[in-house]
Amino acid sequence: MKKYRKDILSEQVRPKDDLSPEPAYEFDPLPELIKDSATGLHSSRRDFLKLCGYSFALAALSSCRSKISKAIPYVIAPNEITPGDALYYSSSYVNGSDYCSIIVKTRDGRPIKIEGNPRSSMTRGGTNARVQASVLDLYDMERFKEPISNGVPVSWDEADGEITARLKKISYDHGSIVLLTPTVYSPSTEAVITDFIEKFPGTAWVRYDAVSYSAMLEANLISFGRQVIPRFHFDKADVIVSSGADFLGTWLSPVEFTKQFSSRRDPEGSMNYLIQYEAGLSVTGCTADKRIQIRPSQEYALLLNIYREVVKLTEGRESNAPSSPADVRDIAVKLTSSPGRSLVISGSNVKDIQLLVNEINRYLGNIGTTIDFSRYMRTHEAIDSGMADLVSRMNAGDVDALIFWNVNPAYTWYDRDAFTKGLKKVGIAISLSGSPDETSSLVQYICPDNHYLESWNDAEPEKDLFSLMQPVISPLFNTRQMADTLLKWSGSAISYYDFIRSYWAVNMLPRQKEYSDPVAFFDHSLQEGVFETVDKNVRPAALLTRPVSHVFDPSLLKTGDDREALFEVVLYEPVAIGEGRQANNPWLHELPDPVTRICWDNYASISGLQAKENSLTEGDLIDIGGLTFPVHIQPGQAYGTLSIALGYGRKVCGMAGNGVGSDAWPFLTMDNGNVSYTRTLGRIGKTGSGYLFAQTQGHHSMEGRALIRETGLNEFKVNPSAGNELHEHYTRHAKSLYKEREYPHHHWGMVIDLSKCTGCGACVIACQAENNVPVVGKEEVQRVHEMHWIRIDRYYSGDDMDPEVGFQPVLCQHCENAPCENVCPVGATNHSGEGLNQMIYNRCFGTRYCNNNCPYKVRRFNWFNYTGAGTLRGNLRDKAGMTGDLRRMVLNPDVTVRSQGVIEKCSFCIQRIQAAKLKAKTEKRALYPGEIRTACSQSCPANAIIFGDLNDKESEMNRLIRSGRNYNLLEELFTKPSVNYLTRIRNRT
Amino acid sequence: MDNKDYISVYFDDEDPMLQALRRLKENNLTIIDVLTPFPVHGIDKLLSVKRTRIPVGGFIFGALGGILAFWFMTWVFTVSYPLIIGGKPFFALPSFVPITFEMTVLFAGLSMAAGMFLRSKLKPDIRFKPADERITDNMFVIVIGSNANTTRESIRTVLSGISIIEIR
Amino acid sequence: MDEQFIFSKQYRNILPILAAVSLVVFLLAVVLSGSGSARIWSNILLNNQFFLGISLGAAFFIAVHRVATSGWQTVIQRVPDAMTSFLPVAFILMLLIYFGMNDIYAWADSEVYEGLTGAKKIWLNIPFYFVRMVLYFAGWIFFIRMMKKNSESLTISSDLKYHNRRKIFAGLFLVFFGITVSASSWDWIMSLKPDWYSTIFGWYVLISMFVASLCFIILITWLLRRMGYLKVLRSDHVHDLAILLFAFSIFWAYQWFAQYLLIWYGHLPEETSYFIPRQHEFTLLFFLNLGINFIVPFFGLIRTSSKYNLNRVAAIAAMTLIGHWIDYWLLIMPETAGTKATIGLPEISMTLIYACGFIYIFFRTLSHGPLIVKNDPFLQESLNYES
Amino acid sequence: MSIFQSSLRKPLIEGKKSYQEITSQILDPLVNKPIKLWYFAITLSGGAMLFGLLMMGWTIWQGIGTWGENRTVGWAFEISTFVWWIGIGHAGTFISAILLLFRQRWRNSINRSAEAMTLFAVICAALFPFIHLGRPLLTFFIFPYPNTRLLWVNFNSPLVWDVFAIATYFTISLVFWYVGLIPDIATLRDKLRKGLKKTVYNFLSFSWKGSARDWHRHEVTSIMLAAIATPLVLSVHSIVSMDFADSILPGWHTTIFPPYFVAGAIYSGFAMVLTLLIIARKLMNLEDFITVEHVESMNKILIATGSIVALAYITETFMSWYSGIEYEQYMLQNRMTGPYAWAYWIMIICNVGSAQLLWIKKLRRSLLFTFFISIVINIGMWFERFVIIVTSLHRDFLPSSWTMYKPTIVEYGLLIGTLGIFFTAFLLFIRVFPVISISEEKSILKTENALQVAKEIHHG
């Protein structure tokens, strides 16, 4: 196991308060050089290194109060830093309700890569695309750089002075101050807020989650007397019924759930069974063993029927239910035959539906087994009615001061007009958000927060599971952490860092017995990244478990059956962009949607049948409810529904994200106290056509080719090679005309388990971050010039209207008989002695012949000067601003940035292989099994990708390769790939 | 004019010229050269021009070029910098054939052209003056070595009955 | 000019006797070596193909020269003309293959047949195989007869319409031949290995048969000269024959190499499966094939002077003829006999039987008309030919 | 002196000329001022050339992204055009070399311009491997020159073979052409009066004096160069075909490609020669030297090569069906019915349909029809390369990568530009050097005049 270092600042910055009352990073931490780049001048990487040196030198110079505006070399070189060596720090990714325990890789003082923290029992080393991409947000030039008062940059002192004066006055006048945040699950921040409320009596704290789970919270309060979201154990469930909950993609805690779910997708173990009822095709729907299309309006009827069947089977009692949109008898039998080992969930934000789900789970005995209220989730606690009340109070003129942090209701709130109107009646509006958004553009004061990689914090994503966040770089801009700001306004003299330490000393230290010294305990926790209370004596509060008897209430059945006139719009959170928080992140924009393979856009997905009826074709523009969307014909889309992604159409976020896609939030409505993510609308009208999507996959059928080989679980049980008969056939025929090469030392290879892959795209972004893969922008993707080294092919099979979906990550296969190598005229691609297909960028002059001859089409050509690494001047094509001086800081110095006109491709993360080999060599030992992990393999939340040495016959990878499921892509070509695939096993039982 | 040691006989057609040539040979006159506007068939035999060895040179140089190319490729792939390329053997014989062939042809072709230029002393020269500007048009000229016995008159006698344009 | 070839008694007797002796040797060799019927049938197929090829190559020779309005070959034209008379015999011999289908064609086996893909099932089945065979032979025999008939007419008449007609038939023959020679080679040879295919195959076989045919023409020309015929033959004719042999040997090597290189380079198992046994099991013959058919004519004929020397050209033609027999052997035997295939007494004796038969028919046809077609409009040009 | 020829043969020089008449008729257009049509033509082609050069500059500056190529279709317009030009560049050497070896007399009056055309076509072709590189300024990487890292090139790559093949082909063609030109330059030199022009031609004539021994060496060298150029011409397009056939892509990897490409090259080359000569004989008043007999003979070559090409199509179609390999089968099905089916059928109609019309004697003796059909064939042959390259690439093994290709104005510009370069060079060439080999015409004059006499007698 890697030993993760503690933060340097934790040791070096600490003594500063003996000498100086001010925290170190209140020196102008943005020296000339970076400021220059802000104004468009160039600063080089070297300058940045100096800057980093400067930030470390701060520790030694902290007593010096004069402003330093020059970058100077290290006065005392920090012990930890060896130029060229990476350092790893445990931390936490917290962005609204998104949480992940992470390890941050820094090189020469700058964070460049996020990995999952395997010590977290929640995320278990997994990440997703958003987590992987978050490092890029740090280097966003368009973040707020300093406090702003009415559009004018001011100093923190000025801002603090003016604001505290105003707040004090309001407080004194018994006015009302409102603090509006998303769910805050940092115990220390909660404490800070409590302090703040104490200091400013009359302050109300409203929590608002843009993607809301408040119906679930409210339902749980009714059913179980606890307004919390329990922890789900997908790993303990044999049968999972999900009604519209995309738990592998976006629902609640996808990384955690994917980890749990995939642990049960091994056909040799006991494989679970997932049935998904949904309207639009989601990642979960693609992975499901069975997927049934329903319209949102049918969900209630469907669940009522399941309920009825379950009740009938468990208690033998009949109950009333409307006619069912799908036959649920089979699934009811499945559910009831595994009592306590099943799970029924719904993605709906309708309280009645959630109540029904609770009832079903109760009947199935899942409460306490797969649904755990003792370790409930803390990441989603906001209740919609809170926000609704606030808006009405604002409009009534009842709010004198409104402090926002990390919320963007001017964009996400269903009735944004009411909100903005109300905001005008608020006396003083202050935003503590770190980057510009629609809401902060409407406020008087902006007191920007740090990026999370610049911040100290803690988090409690699940009850009693604590997690620490530490800064891995000094704030790049003149920003201040939100909690520090609140502390400051509350008049507190201590920094948030000290606050956390003391909070932990008081509250956390007693929860464990190993450490008695608070410092040692904190340092240890920091190093681990997580701290879990293992106090078995503490019993969770007893559940109320009040049965709510369900009587069929026809009024709850929306009229959705009128096929002629009505469309049900289903609004969903897209896998990459989410609710739009990271909308200025070009990596995420360019990540193709796992299902539609479209990037840089959102659209209205419609079923093929309905498109035909309305004479719509792909790329037609439609008017629906006054908004215009391009049409995407989506196989598997339920008839009568339109799925539209939220999170797009941002207007204020930065050059990468402004105006990308269309805004779908106005579709939201308030229904029975909760925000409704579905809406029934009338006819759609065609307003135009010919809209071109940036879609990375244009053909969706395997054309009968054995690319994704799959079989059913029963067939597999009989014959482990089921569905993979061709492998034996081709292997038998594969004979070489000449002597085959051997790779005696190492022979790197990979296994990809197609049963586990959910297509989420974490690997794509991880690879992009690790290997400096350029972003090309929407127009270039439309021209099929995208650059990703690993892509996830998605194929539909079977019925066009109701397809089965398969995902297949495809990266360079590192063929032993590589067709690409033969044809390169200059030998720029050849084979290493360790079986790697190497690409020598310096030697490549861009004939593209290798790519033509690559049957897997995994080679990527730099069509333009995307990176600025070319020799010609004035031909840069960087629509997303990725070559800005600051954005470039995310580049991995171990990987060459490719210039215009060269081919690039997956290298199996050769830099990691070399680094590990070097380390083993200096330590005079052999490589540990599994010591090297490629970025894709490491990031995968489903553990679908395993990398290793093919010569290490004992390894898990080779065990899988020897199994009957193993095959190579296009093995009939005898290219002898080093990447192996395992057949996809569907649990069709 | 008179102290020239050669005499040129002009014809405007190849048939009388060949006839004259035969006649001159029968009379054992020294024929220095025959200048014609195009290669006249059968003239080589009459002049007993030996078959040129340019093709032999071409063969030798061609073989040299081929061997050099083949050796070079073999050396590069097996000794100088062996790279694993597509799993193929280092000594990828079939791959070497095309270039070996091309180099053979190149060396052979260039050496033959060079051979022709050298043997015929053909070189760019702006001071060059042709013997007669009509030779490249329609004149066929037999150049005969002159001496005391061989004069213009004697030649005219020898060639009597053959259509001659002029004798110089 | 009015030469008439006389099929001397000596030859008329020797050839059948030699054939009979060879037959005895063949039968004995087969019985003694314990070879099965497969060996007999493979030998029949091999020699059917080889001698059919020589015969067809001659027709190709005639047609190409005819279409190109070439005149130099007129003096020796009766030689290839007579060579085509083997064709009907070859037809009967090929029909005989019906009785040996199971011994040589893997796909004739019902189990293998069931394993074939759809397209191959349609193409490779016994009825269709013979339907196509009849079609090919019918076309060839028809067109060749028409060419020959009009050519023969020129021995009596000097009407140019006969010349024009044979030219038209030559053109039509070439079109038909172009398609059928490829198709027949796929049927008869390539399908021996039903899972394999190569698009150049038909053209490769065409060139191989044409070179074999050229060799035979040269050898007969040499023989006729030795017998005292063809007094009008000039060394310039020899030179042109030699240059054809030289050029087409290079062209053969080019095709051989093109096929080998592309398969070696692409390295797809479905293609290399053809070369792997040939290169690894029959290494000697594999390289001998290249050596005899390329190196020998190339270095033997590269000097201009050697192309004028009939004896020398004939010697090289003889070697190359054997070379192309080996080429055919390599095309056929490794598939029908597998790794056990050899060149033994059965192979040699069977080839002798065929050779005797072929020469017998050839001489008989040649003796039926004047050796030189005296009304050929190109005869004078050919007699005066200077290369 | 004449060589005996069958009376069936038609004269190839009209009008029973004298040697002097040949000289003056061929050289007069060079010595006199060009006609208006020539100025018009060179303005047009020069404009096209400039546009092309502009587009090349743009490509080099901005990158290959300015083209319509993409992730899946890595080669398209530019390699189609490259192969097309290389193919056109084959007719010259074919005429000069193979027809010389096969003693086709009719090659005499067309070989000079055909060879020149070869050179210009190869120049046009050679531009593409340069500009289609991602980093064109590093083109020198392709040469195996000694460098500090001892990096050599990959001798396995057909692109390296291409470099050697095209360089050799160009060099040998140039030498062959120039060797043939020397006596004619001497004629031109002697025709001119004093002046700079004469000095230049004097320089270029390599002091040619017309000695019998020189003629002997000249003839032997020419014929030997022809002999080595014959396999060379075969090898060049074979090697170009291996750019495709060495891959493993369905539609590219097929063993018939080398001979099939050679036939196709000669096919398109002859079509282009016909296009040019039918123009040139009008432009340069050469009707007596480039006769209907020439055109008919060349048309017969078109039938032959066109039929070979058709045969190759049939073979490919059959094999992809017979092979039973799904990728092969799909490739062909996609060509015939897929999104680029229009290109496939243009190719079939232009290449297979058109040449077969020439079986009709009337048509193949019609200059107008020949001119038309020659352009049709050139279009068809361009589409052949386009079909081979684009339809094979755009839908290859993994359907996930399938995509479409659409050319941009820049790519059209490159095609137009090379046409401009080609025609500009040709128009300049016919003003500078004798379009017809004077000495060779003179050497066959007697024979042709005799045939002319025979023909006149025959006709009464």
Side-chain angles (χ1 to χ4, degrees), chain A residues 605-889:
Chain A
S605 296
I606 190 169
S607 81
L609 185 61
Q610 209 156 16
K612 200 182 271 173
E613 285 171 8
N614 289 278
S615 46
L616 292 171
T617 52
E618 182 86 2
D620 279 351
L621 293 168
I622 52 163
D623 176 272
I624 170 127
L627 298 171
T628 303
F629 283 91
V631 165
H632 164 67
I633 296 170
Q634 176 62 52
Q637 182 77 27
Y639 187 95
T641 63
L642 288 173
S643 283
I644 302 175
L646 297 166
Y648 283 90
R650 289 284 301 268
K651 287 180 189 65
V652 186
C653 71
M655 69 179 279
N658 283 347
V660 175
S662 319
D663 187 356
W665 292 96
F667 282 125
L668 264 49
T669 49
M670 193 62 137
D671 188 14
N672 250 342
N674 286 308
V675 172
S676 168
Y677 295 90
T678 63
R679 183 157 172 191
T680 306
L681 287 165
R683 288 189 166 280
I684 52 172
K686 185 172 158 181
T687 59
S689 63
Y691 187 87
L692 185 62
F693 289 118
Q695 193 174 19
T696 59
Q697 183 177 345
H699 197 88
H700 313 294
S701 152
M702 278 186 280
E703 293 292 330
R705 302 175 180 183
L707 307 176
I708 297 179
R709 298 188 189 158
E710 60 175 60
T711 191
L713 182 61
N714 289 344
E715 291 84 344
F716 171 80
K717 289 263 162 74
V718 177
N719 170 18
S721 304
N724 194 21
E725 292 79 4
L726 282 170
H727 178 65
E728 203 263 323
H729 172 78
Y730 289 133
T731 321
R732 203 176 47 230
H733 283 87
K735 289 203 185 86
S736 181
L737 189 52
Y738 36 77
K739 197 166 163 280
E740 292 181 73
R741 287 205 180 277
E742 279 161 18
Y743 299 92
H745 306 297
H746 294 292
H747 189 177
W748 305 113
M750 189 177 267
V751 165
I752 298 176
D753 189 342
L754 298 180
S755 287
K756 288 189 173 171
C757 176
T758 64
C760 72
C763 52
V764 179
I765 300 297
C767 173
Q768 186 153 27
E770 173 72 21
N771 291 301
N772 303 337
V773 174
V775 170
V776 295
K778 182 178 182 181
E779 198 190 314
E780 284 291 283
V781 178
Q782 285 169 342
R783 300 186 65 209
V784 200
H785 286 176
E786 77 273 6
M787 298 298 290
H788 289 153
W789 284 6
I790 179 170
R791 62 168 196 266
I792 302 170
D793 287 348
R794 183 270 298 116
Y795 294 109
Y796 299 130
S797 52
D799 185 6
D800 259 3
M801 294 301 152
D802 190 16
E804 280 197 336
V805 188
F807 290 113
Q808 184 169 44
V810 180
L811 61 162
C812 176
Q813 307 283 307
H814 295 271
C815 315
E816 281 177 51
N817 293 338
C820 55
E821 293 171 9
N822 291 326
V823 296
C824 175
V826 290
T829 182
N830 51 44
H831 230 63
S832 85
E834 298 180 355
L836 295 174
N837 175 269
Q838 309 180 119
M839 184 68 220
I840 297 108
Y841 307 122
N842 283 343
R843 183 65 172 163
C844 175
F845 64 170
T847 66
R848 307 185 291 293
Y849 198 176
C850 52
N851 188 36
N852 289 341
N853 206 19
C854 172
Y856 310 98
K857 288 285 173 292
V858 289
R859 294 179 154 259
R860 297 288 178 257
F861 183 69
N862 284 272
W863 298 97
F864 286 117
N865 183 3
Y866 298 127
T867 59
T871 41
L872 293 168
R873 299 263 165 241
N875 62 357
L876 185 69
R877 296 251 173 162
D878 180 21
K879 293 275 160 63
M882 285 298 291
T883 59
D885 283 325
L886 192 61
R887 280 280 205 226
R888 260 188 230 253
M889 296 309 156

Side-chain angles (χ1 to χ4, degrees), chain D residues 257-293:
Chain D
F257 258 24
Y260 152 51
F261 262 53
V262 172
I266 293 163
Y267 187 46
S268 67
F270 264 72
M272 187 56 105
V273 173
L274 278 166
T275 314
L276 284 184
L277 285 186
I278 289 170
I279 300 171
R281 80 194 278 274
K282 276 269 170 270
L283 220 57
M284 307 289 290
N285 207 13
L286 298 170
E287 281 92 340
D288 285 347
F289 299 101
I290 300 166
T291 66
V292 177
E293 304 305 324

Side-chain angles (χ1 to χ4, degrees), chain A residues 248-409:
Chain A
L248 297 174
T250 52
W251 192 71
L252 283 174
S253 181
V255 176
E256 177 186 11
F257 297 158
T258 306
K259 277 277 172 199
Q260 294 174 350
F261 181 75
S262 69
S263 71
R264 293 291 305 276
R265 296 304 284 178
D266 186 355
E268 284 162 25
S270 67
M271 201 168 172
N272 61 10
Y273 177 83
L274 165 64
I275 184 165
Q276 178 86 356
Y277 298 92
E278 61 185 4
L281 190 54
S282 72
V283 167
T284 313
C286 294
T287 311
D289 296 305
K290 189 165 183 171
R291 175 177 180 272
I292 291 163
Q293 299 169 23
I294 56 158
R295 299 195 298 281
S297 58
Q298 296 170 323
E299 191 179 356
Y300 184 59
L302 174 90
L303 289 165
L304 270 175
N305 276 282
I306 295 178
Y307 173 73
R308 186 182 68 170
E309 293 296 326
V310 167
V311 170
K312 191 158 63 175
L313 287 166
T314 49
E315 295 194 345
R317 183 161 54 84
E318 278 295 336
S319 60
N320 213 354
S323 67
S324 176
D327 186 355
V328 297
R329 278 168 301 182
D330 276 0
I331 189 64
V333 170
K334 276 205 173 74
L335 283 170
T336 47
S337 57
S338 35
R341 283 181 289 112
S342 61
L343 192 51
V344 179
I345 54 172
S346 164
S348 171
N349 202 31
V350 174
K351 194 161 65 187
D352 289 285
I353 289 179
Q354 293 295 349
L355 282 169
L356 193 51
V357 167
N358 288 346
E359 264 326 273
I360 296 170
N361 278 319
R362 204 172 59 75
Y363 272 105
L364 292 170
N366 294 335
I367 315 299
T369 57
T370 56
I371 297 173
D372 182 3
F373 277 90
S374 64
R375 279 287 280 269
Y376 55 85
M377 299 190 72
R378 288 217 48 215
T379 49
H380 302 76
E381 291 178 340
I383 299 293
D384 292 339
S385 53
M387 181 66 193
D389 290 345
L390 173 63
V391 174
S392 47
R393 274 178 64 203
M394 282 158 66
N395 276 299
D398 273 359
V399 179
D400 297 306
L402 188 47
I403 303 169
F404 301 99
W405 174 66
N406 238 348
V407 286
N408 188 11

